[in-house]
Amino acid sequence: MARMYRVLGFWTLAIGLMALAGDMVPMALIFFFQTALFVLLGYMNLSERTYILMFWGYMLISFTGFTYWSFFRMEL
């Protein structure tokens, strides 16, 4: 399970670099932060239950934030 967090770190790094190349700096910074967080968590050797609970928490926060942003903050 810890390896999957390193894989997530790799993909968020790739997305962050593409966002930076597309001149979307705030998005790139968010993904670089996520990359650092995922790689750090990948080397912590926590239990599988902890990794799963942390991933569910991450998904809850990210989906809530995405829904809030797309519903209340985006212009039509």
Side-chain angles (χ1 to χ4, degrees), residues 7-35 38 58:
V7 170
L8 283 170
F10 169 77
W11 287 112
T12 54
L13 177 64
I15 293 169
L17 289 173
M18 288 187 284
L20 193 61
D23 202 29
M24 295 182 273
V25 177
M27 178 182 165
L29 292 176
I30 290 170
F31 274 88
F32 291 150
F33 173 74
Q34 289 180 16
T35 298
F38 284 144
Y58 166 75

mmCIF file of all heavy atoms in Angstrom, residues 7-35 38 58:
data_model
loop_
_atom_site.group_PDB
_atom_site.id
_atom_site.type_symbol
_atom_site.label_atom_id
_atom_site.label_comp_id
_atom_site.label_asym_id
_atom_site.label_seq_id
_atom_site.Cartn_x
_atom_site.Cartn_y
_atom_site.Cartn_z
ATOM 1 N N VAL A 7 3.377 6.022 -6.122
ATOM 2 C CA VAL A 7 2.839 6.089 -7.481
ATOM 3 C C VAL A 7 1.949 7.326 -7.622
ATOM 4 O O VAL A 7 2.017 8.042 -8.631
ATOM 5 C CB VAL A 7 2.064 4.795 -7.826
ATOM 6 C CG1 VAL A 7 1.307 4.940 -9.127
ATOM 7 C CG2 VAL A 7 3.010 3.611 -7.883
ATOM 8 N N LEU A 8 1.117 7.589 -6.616
ATOM 9 C CA LEU A 8 0.297 8.802 -6.638
ATOM 10 C C LEU A 8 1.182 10.046 -6.679
ATOM 11 O O LEU A 8 0.864 11.027 -7.350
ATOM 12 C CB LEU A 8 -0.612 8.847 -5.408
ATOM 13 C CG LEU A 8 -1.847 7.958 -5.439
ATOM 14 C CD1 LEU A 8 -2.508 7.932 -4.064
ATOM 15 C CD2 LEU A 8 -2.822 8.426 -6.482
ATOM 16 N N GLY A 9 2.292 10.013 -5.954
ATOM 17 C CA GLY A 9 3.234 11.129 -5.992
ATOM 18 C C GLY A 9 3.807 11.336 -7.383
ATOM 19 O O GLY A 9 3.957 12.473 -7.837
ATOM 20 N N PHE A 10 4.123 10.245 -8.066
ATOM 21 C CA PHE A 10 4.639 10.355 -9.424
ATOM 22 C C PHE A 10 3.623 11.009 -10.346
ATOM 23 O O PHE A 10 3.953 11.916 -11.118
ATOM 24 C CB PHE A 10 5.022 8.969 -9.956
ATOM 25 C CG PHE A 10 5.308 8.961 -11.432
ATOM 26 C CD1 PHE A 10 6.506 9.451 -11.913
ATOM 27 C CD2 PHE A 10 4.366 8.483 -12.329
ATOM 28 C CE1 PHE A 10 6.769 9.457 -13.283
ATOM 29 C CE2 PHE A 10 4.610 8.485 -13.687
ATOM 30 C CZ PHE A 10 5.822 8.973 -14.170
ATOM 31 N N TRP A 11 2.355 10.542 -10.279
ATOM 32 C CA TRP A 11 1.335 11.082 -11.175
ATOM 33 C C TRP A 11 0.979 12.520 -10.852
ATOM 34 O O TRP A 11 0.732 13.321 -11.756
ATOM 35 C CB TRP A 11 0.098 10.190 -11.195
ATOM 36 C CG TRP A 11 0.353 8.932 -11.940
ATOM 37 C CD1 TRP A 11 0.420 7.678 -11.437
ATOM 38 C CD2 TRP A 11 0.636 8.816 -13.341
ATOM 39 N NE1 TRP A 11 0.723 6.782 -12.431
ATOM 40 C CE2 TRP A 11 0.860 7.458 -13.615
ATOM 41 C CE3 TRP A 11 0.728 9.725 -14.387
ATOM 42 C CZ2 TRP A 11 1.151 6.988 -14.879
ATOM 43 C CZ3 TRP A 11 1.026 9.255 -15.660
ATOM 44 C CH2 TRP A 11 1.232 7.906 -15.897
ATOM 45 N N THR A 12 0.954 12.874 -9.568
ATOM 46 C CA THR A 12 0.680 14.274 -9.241
ATOM 47 C C THR A 12 1.842 15.161 -9.675
ATOM 48 O O THR A 12 1.624 16.312 -10.064
ATOM 49 C CB THR A 12 0.389 14.460 -7.742
ATOM 50 O OG1 THR A 12 1.449 13.909 -6.969
ATOM 51 C CG2 THR A 12 -0.933 13.827 -7.364
ATOM 52 N N LEU A 13 3.060 14.649 -9.645
ATOM 53 C CA LEU A 13 4.209 15.401 -10.158
ATOM 54 C C LEU A 13 4.059 15.624 -11.664
ATOM 55 O O LEU A 13 4.286 16.733 -12.164
ATOM 56 C CB LEU A 13 5.520 14.683 -9.864
ATOM 57 C CG LEU A 13 6.782 15.352 -10.414
ATOM 58 C CD1 LEU A 13 6.985 16.719 -9.759
ATOM 59 C CD2 LEU A 13 7.975 14.462 -10.216
ATOM 60 N N ALA A 14 3.654 14.575 -12.388
ATOM 61 C CA ALA A 14 3.464 14.709 -13.833
ATOM 62 C C ALA A 14 2.371 15.729 -14.146
ATOM 63 O O ALA A 14 2.540 16.577 -15.037
ATOM 64 C CB ALA A 14 3.112 13.353 -14.438
ATOM 65 N N ILE A 15 1.267 15.681 -13.414
ATOM 66 C CA ILE A 15 0.186 16.642 -13.640
ATOM 67 C C ILE A 15 0.640 18.048 -13.272
ATOM 68 O O ILE A 15 0.331 19.021 -13.971
ATOM 69 C CB ILE A 15 -1.069 16.228 -12.841
ATOM 70 C CG1 ILE A 15 -1.639 14.930 -13.408
ATOM 71 C CG2 ILE A 15 -2.131 17.335 -12.869
ATOM 72 C CD1 ILE A 15 -2.698 14.293 -12.541
ATOM 73 N N GLY A 16 1.391 18.182 -12.191
ATOM 74 C CA GLY A 16 1.904 19.493 -11.797
ATOM 75 C C GLY A 16 2.848 20.083 -12.830
ATOM 76 O O GLY A 16 2.798 21.280 -13.112
ATOM 77 N N LEU A 17 3.698 19.264 -13.404
ATOM 78 C CA LEU A 17 4.607 19.749 -14.438
ATOM 79 C C LEU A 17 3.855 20.160 -15.698
ATOM 80 O O LEU A 17 4.196 21.165 -16.335
ATOM 81 C CB LEU A 17 5.659 18.686 -14.768
ATOM 82 C CG LEU A 17 6.709 18.452 -13.679
ATOM 83 C CD1 LEU A 17 7.579 17.253 -14.047
ATOM 84 C CD2 LEU A 17 7.548 19.690 -13.458
ATOM 85 N N MET A 18 2.823 19.391 -16.064
ATOM 86 C CA MET A 18 2.023 19.780 -17.224
ATOM 87 C C MET A 18 1.256 21.074 -16.957
ATOM 88 O O MET A 18 1.124 21.918 -17.851
ATOM 89 C CB MET A 18 1.054 18.657 -17.603
ATOM 90 C CG MET A 18 1.741 17.465 -18.241
ATOM 91 S SD MET A 18 0.577 16.240 -18.864
ATOM 92 C CE MET A 18 0.067 15.452 -17.351
ATOM 93 N N ALA A 19 0.766 21.258 -15.739
ATOM 94 C CA ALA A 19 0.070 22.492 -15.394
ATOM 95 C C ALA A 19 1.036 23.669 -15.425
ATOM 96 O O ALA A 19 0.682 24.760 -15.884
ATOM 97 C CB ALA A 19 -0.574 22.372 -14.014
ATOM 98 N N LEU A 20 2.253 23.456 -14.971
ATOM 99 C CA LEU A 20 3.258 24.519 -15.004
ATOM 100 C C LEU A 20 3.614 24.872 -16.447
ATOM 101 O O LEU A 20 3.764 26.048 -16.784
ATOM 102 C CB LEU A 20 4.506 24.083 -14.238
ATOM 103 C CG LEU A 20 5.523 25.157 -13.913
ATOM 104 C CD1 LEU A 20 4.913 26.241 -13.044
ATOM 105 C CD2 LEU A 20 6.727 24.534 -13.228
ATOM 106 N N ALA A 21 3.713 23.867 -17.307
ATOM 107 C CA ALA A 21 3.996 24.127 -18.716
ATOM 108 C C ALA A 21 2.841 24.856 -19.388
ATOM 109 O O ALA A 21 3.054 25.632 -20.322
ATOM 110 C CB ALA A 21 4.278 22.813 -19.451
ATOM 111 N N GLY A 22 1.619 24.635 -18.905
ATOM 112 C CA GLY A 22 0.454 25.312 -19.457
ATOM 113 C C GLY A 22 0.166 26.645 -18.803
ATOM 114 O O GLY A 22 -0.906 27.196 -18.995
ATOM 115 N N ASP A 23 1.095 27.142 -17.997
ATOM 116 C CA ASP A 23 0.990 28.444 -17.333
ATOM 117 C C ASP A 23 -0.184 28.510 -16.355
ATOM 118 O O ASP A 23 -0.838 29.531 -16.214
ATOM 119 C CB ASP A 23 0.891 29.567 -18.369
ATOM 120 C CG ASP A 23 1.319 30.906 -17.793
ATOM 121 O OD1 ASP A 23 2.161 30.910 -16.882
ATOM 122 O OD2 ASP A 23 0.796 31.932 -18.243
ATOM 123 N N MET A 24 -0.458 27.383 -15.687
ATOM 124 C CA MET A 24 -1.478 27.333 -14.637
ATOM 125 C C MET A 24 -0.760 27.163 -13.299
ATOM 126 O O MET A 24 -0.744 26.075 -12.712
ATOM 127 C CB MET A 24 -2.454 26.187 -14.889
ATOM 128 C CG MET A 24 -3.274 26.366 -16.147
ATOM 129 S SD MET A 24 -4.445 25.037 -16.409
ATOM 130 C CE MET A 24 -3.427 23.871 -17.292
ATOM 131 N N VAL A 25 -0.144 28.231 -12.836
ATOM 132 C CA VAL A 25 0.737 28.180 -11.672
ATOM 133 C C VAL A 25 0.016 27.764 -10.392
ATOM 134 O O VAL A 25 0.537 26.912 -9.658
ATOM 135 C CB VAL A 25 1.481 29.525 -11.508
ATOM 136 C CG1 VAL A 25 2.332 29.525 -10.266
ATOM 137 C CG2 VAL A 25 2.328 29.798 -12.739
ATOM 138 N N PRO A 26 -1.166 28.316 -10.055
ATOM 139 C CA PRO A 26 -1.814 27.868 -8.815
ATOM 140 C C PRO A 26 -2.117 26.368 -8.812
ATOM 141 O O PRO A 26 -1.906 25.685 -7.802
ATOM 142 C CB PRO A 26 -3.106 28.690 -8.759
ATOM 143 C CG PRO A 26 -2.827 29.892 -9.575
ATOM 144 C CD PRO A 26 -1.907 29.431 -10.658
ATOM 145 N N MET A 27 -2.583 25.846 -9.933
ATOM 146 C CA MET A 27 -2.849 24.412 -10.025
ATOM 147 C C MET A 27 -1.559 23.613 -9.882
ATOM 148 O O MET A 27 -1.532 22.585 -9.197
ATOM 149 C CB MET A 27 -3.519 24.088 -11.354
ATOM 150 C CG MET A 27 -3.800 22.629 -11.576
ATOM 151 S SD MET A 27 -4.527 22.373 -13.187
ATOM 152 C CE MET A 27 -4.325 20.612 -13.372
ATOM 153 N N ALA A 28 -0.487 24.086 -10.501
ATOM 154 C CA ALA A 28 0.792 23.396 -10.412
ATOM 155 C C ALA A 28 1.287 23.364 -8.968
ATOM 156 O O ALA A 28 1.785 22.331 -8.505
ATOM 157 C CB ALA A 28 1.821 24.076 -11.310
ATOM 158 N N LEU A 29 1.138 24.459 -8.252
ATOM 159 C CA LEU A 29 1.583 24.495 -6.851
ATOM 160 C C LEU A 29 0.784 23.537 -5.977
ATOM 161 O O LEU A 29 1.343 22.875 -5.101
ATOM 162 C CB LEU A 29 1.496 25.923 -6.309
ATOM 163 C CG LEU A 29 2.469 26.912 -6.920
ATOM 164 C CD1 LEU A 29 2.218 28.311 -6.370
ATOM 165 C CD2 LEU A 29 3.903 26.484 -6.681
ATOM 166 N N ILE A 30 -0.523 23.452 -6.231
ATOM 167 C CA ILE A 30 -1.355 22.497 -5.485
ATOM 168 C C ILE A 30 -0.877 21.074 -5.736
ATOM 169 O O ILE A 30 -0.737 20.276 -4.809
ATOM 170 C CB ILE A 30 -2.836 22.657 -5.871
ATOM 171 C CG1 ILE A 30 -3.375 23.972 -5.320
ATOM 172 C CG2 ILE A 30 -3.663 21.481 -5.365
ATOM 173 C CD1 ILE A 30 -4.748 24.328 -5.838
ATOM 174 N N PHE A 31 -0.579 20.745 -6.989
ATOM 175 C CA PHE A 31 -0.141 19.384 -7.301
ATOM 176 C C PHE A 31 1.277 19.112 -6.814
ATOM 177 O O PHE A 31 1.592 17.981 -6.437
ATOM 178 C CB PHE A 31 -0.287 19.103 -8.799
ATOM 179 C CG PHE A 31 -1.669 18.634 -9.148
ATOM 180 C CD1 PHE A 31 -2.663 19.544 -9.455
ATOM 181 C CD2 PHE A 31 -1.987 17.293 -9.145
ATOM 182 C CE1 PHE A 31 -3.941 19.134 -9.750
ATOM 183 C CE2 PHE A 31 -3.262 16.855 -9.443
ATOM 184 C CZ PHE A 31 -4.242 17.777 -9.744
ATOM 185 N N PHE A 32 2.143 20.104 -6.779
ATOM 186 C CA PHE A 32 3.473 19.903 -6.207
ATOM 187 C C PHE A 32 3.379 19.644 -4.705
ATOM 188 O O PHE A 32 4.115 18.821 -4.153
ATOM 189 C CB PHE A 32 4.385 21.091 -6.492
ATOM 190 C CG PHE A 32 4.763 21.221 -7.940
ATOM 191 C CD1 PHE A 32 5.014 22.464 -8.481
ATOM 192 C CD2 PHE A 32 4.873 20.122 -8.764
ATOM 193 C CE1 PHE A 32 5.365 22.611 -9.815
ATOM 194 C CE2 PHE A 32 5.214 20.242 -10.103
ATOM 195 C CZ PHE A 32 5.467 21.490 -10.628
ATOM 196 N N PHE A 33 2.473 20.339 -4.024
ATOM 197 C CA PHE A 33 2.249 20.083 -2.602
ATOM 198 C C PHE A 33 1.746 18.668 -2.385
ATOM 199 O O PHE A 33 2.203 17.964 -1.479
ATOM 200 C CB PHE A 33 1.256 21.107 -2.030
ATOM 201 C CG PHE A 33 0.855 20.814 -0.625
ATOM 202 C CD1 PHE A 33 1.737 21.055 0.414
ATOM 203 C CD2 PHE A 33 -0.392 20.292 -0.343
ATOM 204 C CE1 PHE A 33 1.370 20.769 1.722
ATOM 205 C CE2 PHE A 33 -0.761 20.009 0.955
ATOM 206 C CZ PHE A 33 0.127 20.251 1.995
ATOM 207 N N GLN A 34 0.800 18.232 -3.224
ATOM 208 C CA GLN A 34 0.289 16.872 -3.113
ATOM 209 C C GLN A 34 1.388 15.844 -3.385
ATOM 210 O O GLN A 34 1.431 14.790 -2.741
ATOM 211 C CB GLN A 34 -0.865 16.659 -4.087
ATOM 212 C CG GLN A 34 -2.112 17.385 -3.707
ATOM 213 C CD GLN A 34 -3.227 17.149 -4.696
ATOM 214 O OE1 GLN A 34 -3.179 16.222 -5.521
ATOM 215 N NE2 GLN A 34 -4.243 17.979 -4.633
ATOM 216 N N THR A 35 2.274 16.154 -4.326
ATOM 217 C CA THR A 35 3.388 15.251 -4.622
ATOM 218 C C THR A 35 4.259 15.065 -3.395
ATOM 219 O O THR A 35 4.592 13.931 -3.024
ATOM 220 C CB THR A 35 4.235 15.807 -5.780
ATOM 221 O OG1 THR A 35 3.416 15.889 -6.946
ATOM 222 C CG2 THR A 35 5.435 14.934 -6.053
ATOM 223 N N PHE A 38 2.327 12.961 -0.790
ATOM 224 C CA PHE A 38 2.208 11.538 -1.128
ATOM 225 C C PHE A 38 3.547 10.815 -1.005
ATOM 226 O O PHE A 38 3.598 9.689 -0.511
ATOM 227 C CB PHE A 38 1.641 11.362 -2.533
ATOM 228 C CG PHE A 38 0.166 11.601 -2.633
ATOM 229 C CD1 PHE A 38 -0.371 12.196 -3.755
ATOM 230 C CD2 PHE A 38 -0.686 11.218 -1.625
ATOM 231 C CE1 PHE A 38 -1.733 12.412 -3.863
ATOM 232 C CE2 PHE A 38 -2.047 11.424 -1.714
ATOM 233 C CZ PHE A 38 -2.574 12.028 -2.837
ATOM 234 N N TYR A 58 -8.564 12.058 2.220
ATOM 235 C CA TYR A 58 -8.085 12.883 1.110
ATOM 236 C C TYR A 58 -9.149 13.011 0.030
ATOM 237 O O TYR A 58 -9.404 14.101 -0.482
ATOM 238 C CB TYR A 58 -6.801 12.280 0.532
ATOM 239 C CG TYR A 58 -6.403 12.847 -0.796
ATOM 240 C CD1 TYR A 58 -5.838 14.107 -0.884
ATOM 241 C CD2 TYR A 58 -6.606 12.128 -1.966
ATOM 242 C CE1 TYR A 58 -5.474 14.649 -2.106
ATOM 243 C CE2 TYR A 58 -6.249 12.651 -3.196
ATOM 244 C CZ TYR A 58 -5.687 13.902 -3.255
ATOM 245 O OH TYR A 58 -5.341 14.425 -4.464
#
